[in-house]
Amino acid sequence: MLIFGLRTVAHRLGVVTLVCRNCGNAAAQVLSRRVTKFSLFFIPLFPVRTRHEMQCTFCGASYTVSKDEANRLAVR
């Protein structure tokens, strides 16, 4: 019997003040990286998918950004 699955962990990279793509307000945007890993017997083994996301603190909308854009914004 094998116990396997996927687990996603969110890492907060920073907070940037930008204009939201959804609501158009200048508000804080939380930049995060979500890593989904394959796990075997509850031990994470290797990453399956990595996404970078921004979430508006005003309206709560979340959208993906490219890795290059996330790196550029994290340096700010």
Side-chain angles (χ1 to χ4, degrees), residues 42-72:
F42 306 104
I43 300 170
L45 295 177
F46 56 88
V48 176
R49 176 175 56 178
T50 302
R51 296 181 303 183
H52 292 84
E53 293 184 347
M54 299 273 293
Q55 182 176 16
C56 178
T57 58
F58 187 80
C59 68
S62 179
Y63 48 90
T64 59
V65 294
S66 68
K67 181 180 179 181
D68 295 332
E69 186 176 357
N71 289 337
R72 182 180 59 81

Side-chain angles (χ1 to χ4, degrees), residues 21 37 53 76:
R21 293 180 186 175
K37 291 186 178 182
E53 293 184 347
R76 276 187 168 180

Side-chain angles (χ1 to χ4, degrees), residues 6-64:
L6 299 173
R7 176 166 296 172
T8 302
V9 178
H11 301 280
R12 186 175 180 177
L13 300 177
V15 178
V16 184
T17 302
L18 295 172
V19 175
C20 178
R21 293 180 186 175
N22 186 47
C23 66
N25 290 318
Q29 308 286 322
V30 178
L31 178 63
S32 62
R33 180 179 68 224
R34 295 185 178 271
V35 179
T36 302
K37 291 186 178 182
F38 177 80
S39 60
L40 183 63
F41 294 107
F42 306 104
I43 300 170
L45 295 177
F46 56 88
V48 176
R49 176 175 56 178
T50 302
R51 296 181 303 183
H52 292 84
E53 293 184 347
M54 299 273 293
Q55 182 176 16
C56 178
T57 58
F58 187 80
C59 68
S62 179
Y63 48 90
T64 59

